[in-house]
Amino acid sequence: MSDPAEDTGATSSEQQPVANVRAASHEDEEDADSAYGSPAQTSWSLTSSILKFREDHGRTYNPWSDYILPNDERESDRLDLQHHMFCLTYDGEICLCPAVGDRDKQFNCVLDIGTGTGIWAIDFADAHPESKVIGIDISPIQPSLTPPNLRFYVDDVERPWTFHEIFDFIHCRMMTGGIKDWPQLFERCFENLAPGGWIELADYVFPAKSDDDTLPDDSPLARWCQHGLECGKIMGSPLDSARLYATQLREAGFVNIVETKLKWPQTSWAEDQKHKELGIYACANFVDGLYGLSVESFTRYLGWKPDELQVFLAEVRKDIRNRKVHAYWPVWVVYAQRPRA
């Protein structure tokens, strides 16, 4: 009942994928909701033109990119919640890569691609004060007060790289749908990593699934996922890009590739406490963020009218909140190493 094996060229992970997340009893589900428990540096000066975001559909967006997700405070809150979900998934760590978990490991320079609010970069910089940490994003939404060893830059990672640094670790998380040419990005990462350096990626893999057929193909949530996949194809940025990461990393020259397949329950339907808590956060993350995740892509690429979309999203939210639907989001984590010689 787990995903079929694919030819990714990855080795097996010591942390086994969650093949089946057991659903809690109906009585357990009834009680679940109570558990919801130095100035930034940029590649340009922060002129008024850089800070003047495009406004549309009641949200703000980057003005010089076709990136479809908003960059306002509501989106920042969603990204920070997502970071908390990863920390919970990793049992308090911020990566699965064993090199990062090695407390004796020294990192001279670290890059966080698509840093967003900068929360991962801040955590890494705090944990590794000996490291120079760089976060890059297309929107300057990072905080002004940061650890002294951290710098943020506003730039598009798909443009030619102008870094002077050679990195020991590159981190890239939840960038599916935001990158058009993953093989090119992996080649640049390889070129800019020190011999023996590591890269780690983590992403959703659309669509949402269930192992017990409680998410039928004609349900609102399943149809929303299919529409999302269609938008990704039109944009040239597939929302299931993580399926190819291991293969593409190997083709770029990386070795010691490990792919770990995880599951985030969509609500608190799971029996064990960790997945129940993850499900509560995932539900909040998607219910609160669904409009921002949908409006730009559905109206621009699928031709939906905003009122039509709102009606559809109301049905999708009902599906998301329904604990009788044992849906989960596949989350794949892949890390790999540049050869030492």
Side-chain angles (χ1 to χ4, degrees), residues 281-294:
Y281 289 134
C283 185
N285 190 267
F286 271 92
V287 167
D288 294 344
L290 188 62
Y291 180 76
L293 291 168
S294 310

PDB file of all heavy atoms in Angstrom, residues 281-294:
ATOM      1  N   TYR A 281      -1.460  20.091  12.285  1.00  0.00           N
ATOM      2  CA  TYR A 281      -0.742  21.216  11.676  1.00  0.00           C
ATOM      3  C   TYR A 281      -0.953  21.260  10.161  1.00  0.00           C
ATOM      4  O   TYR A 281      -1.101  22.337   9.583  1.00  0.00           O
ATOM      5  CB  TYR A 281       0.749  21.119  11.987  1.00  0.00           C
ATOM      6  CG  TYR A 281       1.098  21.392  13.428  1.00  0.00           C
ATOM      7  CD1 TYR A 281       1.975  20.558  14.121  1.00  0.00           C
ATOM      8  CD2 TYR A 281       0.549  22.478  14.102  1.00  0.00           C
ATOM      9  CE1 TYR A 281       2.301  20.804  15.444  1.00  0.00           C
ATOM     10  CE2 TYR A 281       0.870  22.729  15.424  1.00  0.00           C
ATOM     11  CZ  TYR A 281       1.745  21.886  16.089  1.00  0.00           C
ATOM     12  OH  TYR A 281       2.063  22.139  17.401  1.00  0.00           O
ATOM     13  N   ALA A 282      -0.953  20.082   9.515  1.00  0.00           N
ATOM     14  CA  ALA A 282      -1.154  20.045   8.069  1.00  0.00           C
ATOM     15  C   ALA A 282      -2.533  20.576   7.695  1.00  0.00           C
ATOM     16  O   ALA A 282      -2.689  21.298   6.696  1.00  0.00           O
ATOM     17  CB  ALA A 282      -0.979  18.622   7.544  1.00  0.00           C
ATOM     18  N   CYS A 283      -3.531  20.236   8.485  1.00  0.00           N
ATOM     19  CA  CYS A 283      -4.882  20.725   8.224  1.00  0.00           C
ATOM     20  C   CYS A 283      -4.921  22.243   8.318  1.00  0.00           C
ATOM     21  O   CYS A 283      -5.457  22.921   7.431  1.00  0.00           O
ATOM     22  CB  CYS A 283      -5.856  20.098   9.210  1.00  0.00           C
ATOM     23  SG  CYS A 283      -7.589  20.531   8.903  1.00  0.00           S
ATOM     24  N   ALA A 284      -4.332  22.793   9.369  1.00  0.00           N
ATOM     25  CA  ALA A 284      -4.303  24.245   9.521  1.00  0.00           C
ATOM     26  C   ALA A 284      -3.526  24.890   8.385  1.00  0.00           C
ATOM     27  O   ALA A 284      -3.933  25.931   7.838  1.00  0.00           O
ATOM     28  CB  ALA A 284      -3.687  24.610  10.871  1.00  0.00           C
ATOM     29  N   ASN A 285      -2.421  24.257   8.002  1.00  0.00           N
ATOM     30  CA  ASN A 285      -1.571  24.802   6.955  1.00  0.00           C
ATOM     31  C   ASN A 285      -2.319  24.909   5.628  1.00  0.00           C
ATOM     32  O   ASN A 285      -2.228  25.928   4.933  1.00  0.00           O
ATOM     33  CB  ASN A 285      -0.333  23.914   6.798  1.00  0.00           C
ATOM     34  CG  ASN A 285       0.724  24.520   5.913  1.00  0.00           C
ATOM     35  OD1 ASN A 285       0.752  24.273   4.714  1.00  0.00           O
ATOM     36  ND2 ASN A 285       1.614  25.308   6.495  1.00  0.00           N
ATOM     37  N   PHE A 286      -3.095  23.883   5.297  1.00  0.00           N
ATOM     38  CA  PHE A 286      -3.785  23.888   4.012  1.00  0.00           C
ATOM     39  C   PHE A 286      -5.100  24.646   4.047  1.00  0.00           C
ATOM     40  O   PHE A 286      -5.448  25.333   3.079  1.00  0.00           O
ATOM     41  CB  PHE A 286      -4.006  22.452   3.523  1.00  0.00           C
ATOM     42  CG  PHE A 286      -2.860  21.950   2.699  1.00  0.00           C
ATOM     43  CD1 PHE A 286      -1.814  21.269   3.287  1.00  0.00           C
ATOM     44  CD2 PHE A 286      -2.816  22.189   1.346  1.00  0.00           C
ATOM     45  CE1 PHE A 286      -0.746  20.825   2.534  1.00  0.00           C
ATOM     46  CE2 PHE A 286      -1.751  21.756   0.575  1.00  0.00           C
ATOM     47  CZ  PHE A 286      -0.709  21.067   1.169  1.00  0.00           C
ATOM     48  N   VAL A 287      -5.835  24.540   5.130  1.00  0.00           N
ATOM     49  CA  VAL A 287      -7.092  25.285   5.201  1.00  0.00           C
ATOM     50  C   VAL A 287      -6.818  26.781   5.135  1.00  0.00           C
ATOM     51  O   VAL A 287      -7.457  27.526   4.385  1.00  0.00           O
ATOM     52  CB  VAL A 287      -7.871  24.918   6.478  1.00  0.00           C
ATOM     53  CG1 VAL A 287      -9.012  25.911   6.707  1.00  0.00           C
ATOM     54  CG2 VAL A 287      -8.434  23.509   6.369  1.00  0.00           C
ATOM     55  N   ASP A 288      -5.846  27.256   5.931  1.00  0.00           N
ATOM     56  CA  ASP A 288      -5.531  28.678   5.950  1.00  0.00           C
ATOM     57  C   ASP A 288      -4.843  29.136   4.664  1.00  0.00           C
ATOM     58  O   ASP A 288      -4.995  30.278   4.248  1.00  0.00           O
ATOM     59  CB  ASP A 288      -4.624  29.006   7.147  1.00  0.00           C
ATOM     60  CG  ASP A 288      -5.332  28.806   8.472  1.00  0.00           C
ATOM     61  OD1 ASP A 288      -6.579  28.710   8.472  1.00  0.00           O
ATOM     62  OD2 ASP A 288      -4.649  28.730   9.514  1.00  0.00           O
ATOM     63  N   GLY A 289      -4.081  28.240   4.038  1.00  0.00           N
ATOM     64  CA  GLY A 289      -3.307  28.646   2.873  1.00  0.00           C
ATOM     65  C   GLY A 289      -3.909  28.290   1.539  1.00  0.00           C
ATOM     66  O   GLY A 289      -3.345  28.635   0.499  1.00  0.00           O
ATOM     67  N   LEU A 290      -5.078  27.622   1.532  1.00  0.00           N
ATOM     68  CA  LEU A 290      -5.612  27.073   0.293  1.00  0.00           C
ATOM     69  C   LEU A 290      -5.878  28.149  -0.761  1.00  0.00           C
ATOM     70  O   LEU A 290      -5.560  27.962  -1.943  1.00  0.00           O
ATOM     71  CB  LEU A 290      -6.897  26.297   0.588  1.00  0.00           C
ATOM     72  CG  LEU A 290      -7.481  25.511  -0.582  1.00  0.00           C
ATOM     73  CD1 LEU A 290      -6.516  24.442  -1.066  1.00  0.00           C
ATOM     74  CD2 LEU A 290      -8.813  24.867  -0.175  1.00  0.00           C
ATOM     75  N   TYR A 291      -6.446  29.272  -0.355  1.00  0.00           N
ATOM     76  CA  TYR A 291      -6.741  30.331  -1.324  1.00  0.00           C
ATOM     77  C   TYR A 291      -5.451  30.865  -1.942  1.00  0.00           C
ATOM     78  O   TYR A 291      -5.345  30.999  -3.165  1.00  0.00           O
ATOM     79  CB  TYR A 291      -7.506  31.468  -0.640  1.00  0.00           C
ATOM     80  CG  TYR A 291      -7.844  32.609  -1.566  1.00  0.00           C
ATOM     81  CD1 TYR A 291      -8.883  32.497  -2.486  1.00  0.00           C
ATOM     82  CD2 TYR A 291      -7.133  33.810  -1.514  1.00  0.00           C
ATOM     83  CE1 TYR A 291      -9.197  33.545  -3.342  1.00  0.00           C
ATOM     84  CE2 TYR A 291      -7.446  34.860  -2.365  1.00  0.00           C
ATOM     85  CZ  TYR A 291      -8.473  34.728  -3.282  1.00  0.00           C
ATOM     86  OH  TYR A 291      -8.773  35.766  -4.125  1.00  0.00           O
ATOM     87  N   GLY A 292      -4.456  31.148  -1.116  1.00  0.00           N
ATOM     88  CA  GLY A 292      -3.184  31.640  -1.629  1.00  0.00           C
ATOM     89  C   GLY A 292      -2.473  30.628  -2.503  1.00  0.00           C
ATOM     90  O   GLY A 292      -1.789  30.998  -3.455  1.00  0.00           O
ATOM     91  N   LEU A 293      -2.647  29.342  -2.200  1.00  0.00           N
ATOM     92  CA  LEU A 293      -2.023  28.288  -2.999  1.00  0.00           C
ATOM     93  C   LEU A 293      -2.709  28.104  -4.351  1.00  0.00           C
ATOM     94  O   LEU A 293      -2.127  27.516  -5.258  1.00  0.00           O
ATOM     95  CB  LEU A 293      -2.065  26.960  -2.237  1.00  0.00           C
ATOM     96  CG  LEU A 293      -1.187  26.837  -0.986  1.00  0.00           C
ATOM     97  CD1 LEU A 293      -1.554  25.592  -0.202  1.00  0.00           C
ATOM     98  CD2 LEU A 293       0.285  26.813  -1.362  1.00  0.00           C
ATOM     99  N   SER A 294      -3.943  28.615  -4.471  1.00  0.00           N
ATOM    100  CA  SER A 294      -4.767  28.314  -5.630  1.00  0.00           C
ATOM    101  C   SER A 294      -5.035  29.490  -6.555  1.00  0.00           C
ATOM    102  O   SER A 294      -5.068  29.324  -7.783  1.00  0.00           O
ATOM    103  CB  SER A 294      -6.130  27.764  -5.170  1.00  0.00           C
ATOM    104  OG  SER A 294      -5.996  26.724  -4.243  1.00  0.00           O
TER     105      SER A 294
END
